[in-house]
Amino acid sequence: MSAPAPSPLAIVDAEPLPRQDEVLTEAALAFVAELHRRFAPRRAELLARRAERRAEIARTSTLDFLPDTAQVREGEWKVAPAPAALNDRRVEITGPTDRKMTINALNSGAKVWLADFEDASAPTWENVVLGQLNLIDAYERRIDFTDARTGKAYALKPAEELATVVMRPRGWHLAERHLRIDGAPASGALVDFGLYFFHNAQRLIDLGKGPYFYLPKTESHLEARLWNEIFVFAQDYVGIPQGTVRATVLIETITAAYEMEEILFELKDHAAGLNAGRWDYLFSIVKNFRDGGEKFVLPDRNAVTMTAPFMRAYTELLVRTCHKRGAHAIGGMAAFIPSRKDAEVNKVAFEKVKADKDREAGDGFDGSWVAHPDLVPIAMASFDAVLGDKPNQKDRLREDVSVAPGELIAIDSLDAKPTYEGLRNAVQVGIRYIEAWLRGLGAVGIFGLMEDAATAEISRSQIWQWINAGVVFEHDGEPVRATAELTRRIAAEELAAIRAEVGEEAFAAGKWQQAHDLLLQVALDADYADFLTLPAYDQLSG
């Protein structure tokens, strides 16, 4: 193992990496240690509160807007105006911070790049540290990349053509085992935020931008309050003006959907907007209402589009909430990966992407996400058609929208049922994604879609829910009940199919059996794991 880092407070427990000393400086580690000491206890309290709230949902099978914060929802206030670099967010591209992706995302033509240390990045120590290094190199314009396989060289375009970076740290639940502070593993969120902020806050100000963040997996306004306290402390620590940090919160948990205004209020001086995702949001619904009976059983994940009534309620409430408070409303992901071989597949998929982005722009969103550079022009055209020369449409207040509490959890308003093929797809995608994740890849192309950890979460959660709800499918004209035995049989068939598809050598070199076993563990265990990534992290090498 490497020698301890110079700071007596933070001990690096990992094999040395190239140029790690540029990231893991004594001063940067001291800052992360100070963040840990001040804020880790509150983090632990809030994680415990999540469990308490989940127990309450299990008891009541319902959620409502908070009576104690009615004055926030009824009050007259707005978030701070957007800085120039974040005023126009009509297309955002997402992806991990490896060297090639860093260059391609910055060059993509998108207004924003979500530089992801969370769901699109498996948290190996190499990904954590070298991802930070790649962002530093990008801001210093000393990043380049040559693909060893193709020989193609990649370099940055002129500064005025580059996307603005909004960095996403890991969620509150994840620890970083390679960095121990006062004997305890550091919070992954504080490591990611701390290293990035310490090294880049002033650099970004000098570039006319700032340290901007996406906050994932938030479950309550109290968690947003903790982030705000961290921002206030961090800005004072490095000596930059309060309000320089800006944060966009992903409303990707069902509990957060009932606290959108409160979340913006807690971050008021640092708030940039809210984002409406899909897979993590559906995962959160299953997690929280998994024992709520048949009316909470979700159909196949691909049947739950953003036009489902309960998803429409969620997205329209988000747009109204953001614009009422002067914040940006950012739409969901277009995950399609264009085919280099099948123009007809692309034509059909591009039409679906266009329809999705047209709907978001028409609903009042100020921007939306894509996962591939080829989709940037399609999404851009949809928003250009609505926005024209305006940077956003926050002036569209959507006062026509009124959402009752029950509408957000009216899962049975969707006319679709789980299917046998949906179960098979969940097993197939789950195994394939987890195998790649265990090898250190967080963004993975599977069956023509860019998948991340949220994909695996909804896949394993649906398997768990269908089995525990006793769902009956029709298969080959016969009724078939979802059971652990059926799931194991499908998983064995899928593993055999993968072995035949990739060949013995590649199968042996991969982590296929391990992925198969882990999927079955988190999909079949009676004790539902809060996050797949917790047991998976224990098996992640590096």
Side-chain angles (χ1 to χ4, degrees), residues 2-13 24-26 29 179:
S2 62
S7 168
L9 308 174
I11 306 300
V12 177
D13 185 12
L24 305 175
T25 64
E26 183 172 3
L29 290 174
L179 186 60

Side-chain angles (χ1 to χ4, degrees), residues 115-314:
D116 201 9
F117 287 84
E118 200 232 359
D119 272 5
S121 180
T124 63
W125 187 235
E126 181 176 3
N127 287 344
V128 169
V129 175
L130 299 190
Q132 296 276 354
L133 186 67
N134 290 336
L135 293 173
I136 293 170
D137 280 353
Y139 299 144
E140 294 292 320
R141 295 196 66 88
R142 60 186 182 217
I143 193 169
D144 52 38
F145 176 81
T146 301
D147 192 309
R149 185 174 57 85
T150 64
K152 184 177 179 182
Y154 297 82
L156 290 180
K157 292 179 177 178
E160 62 274 13
E161 297 180 39
L162 302 182
T164 293
V165 174
V166 180
M167 182 273 217
R168 180 162 71 168
R170 280 169 281 181
W172 281 128
H173 60 289
L174 290 167
E176 176 48 72
R177 64 172 177 246
H178 298 97
L179 186 60
R180 302 186 70 82
I181 298 172
D182 301 337
S187 157
L190 294 180
V191 171
D192 297 341
F193 166 81
L195 292 175
Y196 180 78
F197 179 88
F198 185 83
H199 287 298
N200 298 304
Q202 189 60 53
R203 273 193 179 99
L204 287 160
I205 292 169
D206 294 345
L207 291 170
K209 299 185 178 184
Y212 306 142
F213 298 92
Y214 259 111
L215 305 181
K217 305 285 192 293
T218 300
E219 296 196 15
S220 76
H221 70 285
L222 298 179
E223 295 180 15
R225 180 181 297 171
L226 175 59
W227 270 117
N228 198 70
E229 290 168 0
I230 290 166
F231 297 155
V232 170
F233 169 77
Q235 289 166 125
D236 281 348
Y237 188 97
V238 301
I240 63 174
Q242 290 295 328
T244 306
V245 169
R246 292 305 168 94
T248 306
V249 180
L250 294 112
I251 303 298
E252 56 186 354
T253 68
I254 186 63
T255 52
Y258 287 85
E259 301 183 35
M260 294 188 208
E261 293 205 62
E262 292 90 336
I263 286 167
L264 286 174
F265 182 80
E266 294 294 346
L267 288 161
K268 196 162 49 173
D269 295 336
H270 301 108
L274 304 177
N275 168 271
R278 179 160 44 143
W279 297 143
D280 261 318
Y281 188 71
L282 295 176
F283 156 53
S284 175
I285 291 173
V286 174
K287 180 198 298 193
N288 281 286
F289 290 93
R290 62 183 182 268
D291 36 23
E294 184 179 356
K295 71 176 184 175
F296 290 106
V297 172
L298 282 172
D300 299 2
R301 71 169 182 135
N302 291 324
V304 189
T305 66
M306 297 304 259
T307 60
F310 67 98
M311 297 299 280
R312 287 289 289 165
Y314 151 62

Side-chain angles (χ1 to χ4, degrees), residues 279 333-338 353 369-372 375 448-451:
W279 297 143
M333 170 73 79
F336 175 66
I337 304 171
V353 171
W369 283 6
V370 300
H372 192 282
L375 301 183
L449 296 175
M450 186 63 74
E451 309 283 20

Side-chain angles (χ1 to χ4, degrees), residues 472-519:
V472 176
F473 313 115
E474 185 174 303
H475 180 55
D476 292 339
E478 299 290 333
V480 178
R481 183 175 293 275
T483 63
E485 291 72 27
L486 175 63
T487 304
R488 288 191 186 97
R489 193 187 81 212
I490 291 172
E493 291 169 358
E494 174 61 11
L495 201 60
I498 290 169
R499 186 191 293 266
E501 176 189 325
V502 304
E504 286 295 333
E505 186 177 346
F507 186 87
K511 295 183 179 290
W512 295 106
Q513 186 68 52
Q514 194 177 345
H516 163 280
D517 294 350
L518 182 54
L519 176 69

Side-chain angles (χ1 to χ4, degrees), residues 90-91 306-307 312 316 331-332 334 350-370 375-387 393 396 398:
R90 66 187 71 197
V91 180
M306 297 304 259
T307 60
R312 287 289 289 165
E316 297 216 296
F350 286 163
E351 287 172 356
K352 288 182 178 178
V353 171
K354 180 181 184 301
D356 187 49
K357 301 311 175 190
D358 285 350
R359 174 188 54 76
E360 288 182 325
D363 282 349
F365 280 97
D366 302 293
S368 188
W369 283 6
V370 300
L375 301 183
V376 170
I378 298 171
M380 194 71 77
S382 294
F383 280 89
D384 285 350
V386 170
L387 296 178
Q393 53 182 331
R396 277 195 67 195
R398 292 305 312 270

